[in-house]
Amino acid sequence: MTELVIRRATPSDVEVIAANNRAMALETEGKVLDTSVTLRGAAALIADEGKGFYLLAERGAEVAGQLMITYEWSDWRNGIFWWIQSVYVSPASRRSGVYRALYRRLHEMAAEAGNVCGIRLYVETSNTRAQATYVALGMQRSHYELYELDLPLRSS
């Protein structure tokens, strides 16, 4: 099997990232996302590191998996939480260590950054396979519940 390479996404990766995000939304939540919105959303994040960044796992010329990091400032800790989002591993690459490799590299990057006080993520309550993976990597279930309010964007 070809070696797995973990790297930050570049503007040339926007189409594959957006396609993976649409596939993930359909698979996990039954949601059909708008192609042009997902393309613009991925491009906006890559263009502005203040929003976050994507890590990609590649085998040869194929993107086997991805995750996105966004930031949350913690005034309680005087540091930044990195939030893992938009996790996707291609069906052919699942259960082969792709997410584990992405997570390990992310953990290294967070330690090197020096201002990261924690790594967080949210997961569908019914996605027990993903939950087991996160626990196996040393993450713990939080005592927080997630609430949200969706607001319409003026331009999407």
Side-chain angles (χ1 to χ4, degrees), residues 77-91:
R77 295 186 174 127
N78 192 31
I80 298 170
F81 280 100
W82 281 5
W83 277 87
I84 299 173
Q85 300 183 62
S86 298
V87 173
Y88 185 76
V89 176
S90 69

mmCIF file with all atom_site columns, all heavy atoms in Angstrom, residues 77-91:
data_model
loop_
_atom_site.group_PDB
_atom_site.id
_atom_site.type_symbol
_atom_site.label_atom_id
_atom_site.label_alt_id
_atom_site.label_comp_id
_atom_site.label_asym_id
_atom_site.label_entity_id
_atom_site.label_seq_id
_atom_site.pdbx_PDB_ins_code
_atom_site.Cartn_x
_atom_site.Cartn_y
_atom_site.Cartn_z
_atom_site.occupancy
_atom_site.B_iso_or_equiv
_atom_site.pdbx_formal_charge
_atom_site.auth_seq_id
_atom_site.auth_comp_id
_atom_site.auth_asym_id
_atom_site.auth_atom_id
_atom_site.pdbx_PDB_model_num
ATOM 1   N N   . ARG A 1 77 ? -8.881  29.997 29.762 1.00 0.00 ? 77 ARG A N   1
ATOM 2   C CA  . ARG A 1 77 ? -7.573  29.341 29.681 1.00 0.00 ? 77 ARG A CA  1
ATOM 3   C C   . ARG A 1 77 ? -6.516  30.201 29.011 1.00 0.00 ? 77 ARG A C   1
ATOM 4   O O   . ARG A 1 77 ? -5.363  29.800 28.933 1.00 0.00 ? 77 ARG A O   1
ATOM 5   C CB  . ARG A 1 77 ? -7.722  28.014 28.935 1.00 0.00 ? 77 ARG A CB  1
ATOM 6   C CG  . ARG A 1 77 ? -8.593  27.045 29.705 1.00 0.00 ? 77 ARG A CG  1
ATOM 7   C CD  . ARG A 1 77 ? -8.607  25.697 29.048 1.00 0.00 ? 77 ARG A CD  1
ATOM 8   N NE  . ARG A 1 77 ? -9.330  24.756 29.883 1.00 0.00 ? 77 ARG A NE  1
ATOM 9   C CZ  . ARG A 1 77 ? -10.326 24.014 29.457 1.00 0.00 ? 77 ARG A CZ  1
ATOM 10  N NH1 . ARG A 1 77 ? -10.720 24.074 28.214 1.00 0.00 ? 77 ARG A NH1 1
ATOM 11  N NH2 . ARG A 1 77 ? -10.926 23.176 30.274 1.00 0.00 ? 77 ARG A NH2 1
ATOM 12  N N   . ASN A 1 78 ? -6.937  31.344 28.462 1.00 0.00 ? 78 ASN A N   1
ATOM 13  C CA  . ASN A 1 78 ? -6.017  32.216 27.731 1.00 0.00 ? 78 ASN A CA  1
ATOM 14  C C   . ASN A 1 78 ? -5.311  31.430 26.627 1.00 0.00 ? 78 ASN A C   1
ATOM 15  O O   . ASN A 1 78 ? -4.098  31.473 26.461 1.00 0.00 ? 78 ASN A O   1
ATOM 16  C CB  . ASN A 1 78 ? -4.992  32.875 28.665 1.00 0.00 ? 78 ASN A CB  1
ATOM 17  C CG  . ASN A 1 78 ? -4.226  33.985 27.973 1.00 0.00 ? 78 ASN A CG  1
ATOM 18  O OD1 . ASN A 1 78 ? -4.754  34.651 27.092 1.00 0.00 ? 78 ASN A OD1 1
ATOM 19  N ND2 . ASN A 1 78 ? -2.977  34.170 28.355 1.00 0.00 ? 78 ASN A ND2 1
ATOM 20  N N   . GLY A 1 79 ? -6.107  30.677 25.900 1.00 0.00 ? 79 GLY A N   1
ATOM 21  C CA  . GLY A 1 79 ? -5.586  29.861 24.818 1.00 0.00 ? 79 GLY A CA  1
ATOM 22  C C   . GLY A 1 79 ? -6.670  29.567 23.805 1.00 0.00 ? 79 GLY A C   1
ATOM 23  O O   . GLY A 1 79 ? -7.820  29.993 23.948 1.00 0.00 ? 79 GLY A O   1
ATOM 24  N N   . ILE A 1 80 ? -6.313  28.821 22.796 1.00 0.00 ? 80 ILE A N   1
ATOM 25  C CA  . ILE A 1 80 ? -7.206  28.533 21.684 1.00 0.00 ? 80 ILE A CA  1
ATOM 26  C C   . ILE A 1 80 ? -7.562  27.050 21.672 1.00 0.00 ? 80 ILE A C   1
ATOM 27  O O   . ILE A 1 80 ? -6.682  26.191 21.803 1.00 0.00 ? 80 ILE A O   1
ATOM 28  C CB  . ILE A 1 80 ? -6.545  28.906 20.342 1.00 0.00 ? 80 ILE A CB  1
ATOM 29  C CG1 . ILE A 1 80 ? -6.247  30.408 20.313 1.00 0.00 ? 80 ILE A CG1 1
ATOM 30  C CG2 . ILE A 1 80 ? -7.408  28.505 19.153 1.00 0.00 ? 80 ILE A CG2 1
ATOM 31  C CD1 . ILE A 1 80 ? -5.379  30.828 19.148 1.00 0.00 ? 80 ILE A CD1 1
ATOM 32  N N   . PHE A 1 81 ? -8.847  26.768 21.507 1.00 0.00 ? 81 PHE A N   1
ATOM 33  C CA  . PHE A 1 81 ? -9.284  25.413 21.216 1.00 0.00 ? 81 PHE A CA  1
ATOM 34  C C   . PHE A 1 81 ? -9.291  25.245 19.705 1.00 0.00 ? 81 PHE A C   1
ATOM 35  O O   . PHE A 1 81 ? -9.737  26.132 18.976 1.00 0.00 ? 81 PHE A O   1
ATOM 36  C CB  . PHE A 1 81 ? -10.710 25.148 21.729 1.00 0.00 ? 81 PHE A CB  1
ATOM 37  C CG  . PHE A 1 81 ? -10.774 24.846 23.189 1.00 0.00 ? 81 PHE A CG  1
ATOM 38  C CD1 . PHE A 1 81 ? -11.139 25.819 24.100 1.00 0.00 ? 81 PHE A CD1 1
ATOM 39  C CD2 . PHE A 1 81 ? -10.475 23.573 23.653 1.00 0.00 ? 81 PHE A CD2 1
ATOM 40  C CE1 . PHE A 1 81 ? -11.204 25.535 25.447 1.00 0.00 ? 81 PHE A CE1 1
ATOM 41  C CE2 . PHE A 1 81 ? -10.536 23.279 25.006 1.00 0.00 ? 81 PHE A CE2 1
ATOM 42  C CZ  . PHE A 1 81 ? -10.897 24.266 25.903 1.00 0.00 ? 81 PHE A CZ  1
ATOM 43  N N   . TRP A 1 82 ? -8.780  24.125 19.250 1.00 0.00 ? 82 TRP A N   1
ATOM 44  C CA  . TRP A 1 82 ? -8.919  23.760 17.848 1.00 0.00 ? 82 TRP A CA  1
ATOM 45  C C   . TRP A 1 82 ? -10.115 22.822 17.755 1.00 0.00 ? 82 TRP A C   1
ATOM 46  O O   . TRP A 1 82 ? -10.170 21.801 18.455 1.00 0.00 ? 82 TRP A O   1
ATOM 47  C CB  . TRP A 1 82 ? -7.661  23.065 17.333 1.00 0.00 ? 82 TRP A CB  1
ATOM 48  C CG  . TRP A 1 82 ? -6.539  23.992 16.994 1.00 0.00 ? 82 TRP A CG  1
ATOM 49  C CD1 . TRP A 1 82 ? -6.479  25.342 17.168 1.00 0.00 ? 82 TRP A CD1 1
ATOM 50  C CD2 . TRP A 1 82 ? -5.295  23.622 16.410 1.00 0.00 ? 82 TRP A CD2 1
ATOM 51  N NE1 . TRP A 1 82 ? -5.281  25.838 16.733 1.00 0.00 ? 82 TRP A NE1 1
ATOM 52  C CE2 . TRP A 1 82 ? -4.537  24.793 16.254 1.00 0.00 ? 82 TRP A CE2 1
ATOM 53  C CE3 . TRP A 1 82 ? -4.747  22.411 15.996 1.00 0.00 ? 82 TRP A CE3 1
ATOM 54  C CZ2 . TRP A 1 82 ? -3.262  24.792 15.710 1.00 0.00 ? 82 TRP A CZ2 1
ATOM 55  C CZ3 . TRP A 1 82 ? -3.476  22.405 15.456 1.00 0.00 ? 82 TRP A CZ3 1
ATOM 56  C CH2 . TRP A 1 82 ? -2.739  23.589 15.308 1.00 0.00 ? 82 TRP A CH2 1
ATOM 57  N N   . TRP A 1 83 ? -11.064 23.174 16.907 1.00 0.00 ? 83 TRP A N   1
ATOM 58  C CA  . TRP A 1 83 ? -12.256 22.371 16.686 1.00 0.00 ? 83 TRP A CA  1
ATOM 59  C C   . TRP A 1 83 ? -12.084 21.561 15.408 1.00 0.00 ? 83 TRP A C   1
ATOM 60  O O   . TRP A 1 83 ? -11.866 22.124 14.334 1.00 0.00 ? 83 TRP A O   1
ATOM 61  C CB  . TRP A 1 83 ? -13.484 23.265 16.543 1.00 0.00 ? 83 TRP A CB  1
ATOM 62  C CG  . TRP A 1 83 ? -14.067 23.676 17.852 1.00 0.00 ? 83 TRP A CG  1
ATOM 63  C CD1 . TRP A 1 83 ? -13.710 24.749 18.609 1.00 0.00 ? 83 TRP A CD1 1
ATOM 64  C CD2 . TRP A 1 83 ? -15.103 23.011 18.561 1.00 0.00 ? 83 TRP A CD2 1
ATOM 65  N NE1 . TRP A 1 83 ? -14.466 24.796 19.744 1.00 0.00 ? 83 TRP A NE1 1
ATOM 66  C CE2 . TRP A 1 83 ? -15.329 23.746 19.739 1.00 0.00 ? 83 TRP A CE2 1
ATOM 67  C CE3 . TRP A 1 83 ? -15.862 21.878 18.310 1.00 0.00 ? 83 TRP A CE3 1
ATOM 68  C CZ2 . TRP A 1 83 ? -16.296 23.358 20.679 1.00 0.00 ? 83 TRP A CZ2 1
ATOM 69  C CZ3 . TRP A 1 83 ? -16.826 21.509 19.236 1.00 0.00 ? 83 TRP A CZ3 1
ATOM 70  C CH2 . TRP A 1 83 ? -17.039 22.246 20.408 1.00 0.00 ? 83 TRP A CH2 1
ATOM 71  N N   . ILE A 1 84 ? -12.190 20.258 15.519 1.00 0.00 ? 84 ILE A N   1
ATOM 72  C CA  . ILE A 1 84 ? -12.154 19.375 14.358 1.00 0.00 ? 84 ILE A CA  1
ATOM 73  C C   . ILE A 1 84 ? -13.545 19.349 13.744 1.00 0.00 ? 84 ILE A C   1
ATOM 74  O O   . ILE A 1 84 ? -14.529 19.086 14.432 1.00 0.00 ? 84 ILE A O   1
ATOM 75  C CB  . ILE A 1 84 ? -11.748 17.937 14.759 1.00 0.00 ? 84 ILE A CB  1
ATOM 76  C CG1 . ILE A 1 84 ? -10.353 17.915 15.374 1.00 0.00 ? 84 ILE A CG1 1
ATOM 77  C CG2 . ILE A 1 84 ? -11.844 17.008 13.549 1.00 0.00 ? 84 ILE A CG2 1
ATOM 78  C CD1 . ILE A 1 84 ? -9.966  16.559 15.955 1.00 0.00 ? 84 ILE A CD1 1
ATOM 79  N N   . GLN A 1 85 ? -13.596 19.621 12.452 1.00 0.00 ? 85 GLN A N   1
ATOM 80  C CA  . GLN A 1 85 ? -14.858 19.604 11.714 1.00 0.00 ? 85 GLN A CA  1
ATOM 81  C C   . GLN A 1 85 ? -14.626 18.992 10.336 1.00 0.00 ? 85 GLN A C   1
ATOM 82  O O   . GLN A 1 85 ? -13.497 18.752 9.935  1.00 0.00 ? 85 GLN A O   1
ATOM 83  C CB  . GLN A 1 85 ? -15.403 21.026 11.562 1.00 0.00 ? 85 GLN A CB  1
ATOM 84  C CG  . GLN A 1 85 ? -15.677 21.707 12.889 1.00 0.00 ? 85 GLN A CG  1
ATOM 85  C CD  . GLN A 1 85 ? -16.271 23.077 12.699 1.00 0.00 ? 85 GLN A CD  1
ATOM 86  O OE1 . GLN A 1 85 ? -17.353 23.229 12.151 1.00 0.00 ? 85 GLN A OE1 1
ATOM 87  N NE2 . GLN A 1 85 ? -15.548 24.084 13.144 1.00 0.00 ? 85 GLN A NE2 1
ATOM 88  N N   . SER A 1 86 ? -15.707 18.787 9.625  1.00 0.00 ? 86 SER A N   1
ATOM 89  C CA  . SER A 1 86 ? -15.658 18.318 8.235  1.00 0.00 ? 86 SER A CA  1
ATOM 90  C C   . SER A 1 86 ? -14.732 17.119 8.051  1.00 0.00 ? 86 SER A C   1
ATOM 91  O O   . SER A 1 86 ? -13.930 17.066 7.126  1.00 0.00 ? 86 SER A O   1
ATOM 92  C CB  . SER A 1 86 ? -15.262 19.457 7.294  1.00 0.00 ? 86 SER A CB  1
ATOM 93  O OG  . SER A 1 86 ? -16.225 20.482 7.343  1.00 0.00 ? 86 SER A OG  1
ATOM 94  N N   . VAL A 1 87 ? -14.866 16.164 8.954  1.00 0.00 ? 87 VAL A N   1
ATOM 95  C CA  . VAL A 1 87 ? -14.071 14.932 8.857  1.00 0.00 ? 87 VAL A CA  1
ATOM 96  C C   . VAL A 1 87 ? -14.673 14.047 7.763  1.00 0.00 ? 87 VAL A C   1
ATOM 97  O O   . VAL A 1 87 ? -15.880 13.799 7.752  1.00 0.00 ? 87 VAL A O   1
ATOM 98  C CB  . VAL A 1 87 ? -14.080 14.159 10.193 1.00 0.00 ? 87 VAL A CB  1
ATOM 99  C CG1 . VAL A 1 87 ? -13.398 12.808 10.042 1.00 0.00 ? 87 VAL A CG1 1
ATOM 100 C CG2 . VAL A 1 87 ? -13.425 14.978 11.296 1.00 0.00 ? 87 VAL A CG2 1
ATOM 101 N N   . TYR A 1 88 ? -13.813 13.604 6.873  1.00 0.00 ? 88 TYR A N   1
ATOM 102 C CA  . TYR A 1 88 ? -14.271 12.689 5.832  1.00 0.00 ? 88 TYR A CA  1
ATOM 103 C C   . TYR A 1 88 ? -13.126 11.761 5.450  1.00 0.00 ? 88 TYR A C   1
ATOM 104 O O   . TYR A 1 88 ? -12.006 12.214 5.220  1.00 0.00 ? 88 TYR A O   1
ATOM 105 C CB  . TYR A 1 88 ? -14.745 13.438 4.584  1.00 0.00 ? 88 TYR A CB  1
ATOM 106 C CG  . TYR A 1 88 ? -15.324 12.508 3.540  1.00 0.00 ? 88 TYR A CG  1
ATOM 107 C CD1 . TYR A 1 88 ? -16.599 11.974 3.689  1.00 0.00 ? 88 TYR A CD1 1
ATOM 108 C CD2 . TYR A 1 88 ? -14.587 12.147 2.425  1.00 0.00 ? 88 TYR A CD2 1
ATOM 109 C CE1 . TYR A 1 88 ? -17.130 11.098 2.747  1.00 0.00 ? 88 TYR A CE1 1
ATOM 110 C CE2 . TYR A 1 88 ? -15.111 11.272 1.482  1.00 0.00 ? 88 TYR A CE2 1
ATOM 111 C CZ  . TYR A 1 88 ? -16.379 10.757 1.647  1.00 0.00 ? 88 TYR A CZ  1
ATOM 112 O OH  . TYR A 1 88 ? -16.902 9.897  0.719  1.00 0.00 ? 88 TYR A OH  1
ATOM 113 N N   . VAL A 1 89 ? -13.433 10.476 5.405  1.00 0.00 ? 89 VAL A N   1
ATOM 114 C CA  . VAL A 1 89 ? -12.499 9.476  4.895  1.00 0.00 ? 89 VAL A CA  1
ATOM 115 C C   . VAL A 1 89 ? -13.238 8.748  3.780  1.00 0.00 ? 89 VAL A C   1
ATOM 116 O O   . VAL A 1 89 ? -14.381 8.317  3.966  1.00 0.00 ? 89 VAL A O   1
ATOM 117 C CB  . VAL A 1 89 ? -12.039 8.492  5.997  1.00 0.00 ? 89 VAL A CB  1
ATOM 118 C CG1 . VAL A 1 89 ? -11.150 7.404  5.421  1.00 0.00 ? 89 VAL A CG1 1
ATOM 119 C CG2 . VAL A 1 89 ? -11.304 9.246  7.105  1.00 0.00 ? 89 VAL A CG2 1
ATOM 120 N N   . SER A 1 90 ? -12.598 8.640  2.623  1.00 0.00 ? 90 SER A N   1
ATOM 121 C CA  . SER A 1 90 ? -13.250 7.989  1.481  1.00 0.00 ? 90 SER A CA  1
ATOM 122 C C   . SER A 1 90 ? -13.609 6.554  1.850  1.00 0.00 ? 90 SER A C   1
ATOM 123 O O   . SER A 1 90 ? -12.886 5.900  2.616  1.00 0.00 ? 90 SER A O   1
ATOM 124 C CB  . SER A 1 90 ? -12.344 8.020  0.252  1.00 0.00 ? 90 SER A CB  1
ATOM 125 O OG  . SER A 1 90 ? -11.229 7.172  0.440  1.00 0.00 ? 90 SER A OG  1
ATOM 126 N N   . PRO A 1 91 ? -14.725 6.053  1.321  1.00 0.00 ? 91 PRO A N   1
ATOM 127 C CA  . PRO A 1 91 ? -15.145 4.691  1.666  1.00 0.00 ? 91 PRO A CA  1
ATOM 128 C C   . PRO A 1 91 ? -14.049 3.644  1.461  1.00 0.00 ? 91 PRO A C   1
ATOM 129 O O   . PRO A 1 91 ? -13.879 2.749  2.294  1.00 0.00 ? 91 PRO A O   1
ATOM 130 C CB  . PRO A 1 91 ? -16.346 4.443  0.742  1.00 0.00 ? 91 PRO A CB  1
ATOM 131 C CG  . PRO A 1 91 ? -16.927 5.820  0.551  1.00 0.00 ? 91 PRO A CG  1
ATOM 132 C CD  . PRO A 1 91 ? -15.722 6.737  0.484  1.00 0.00 ? 91 PRO A CD  1
#
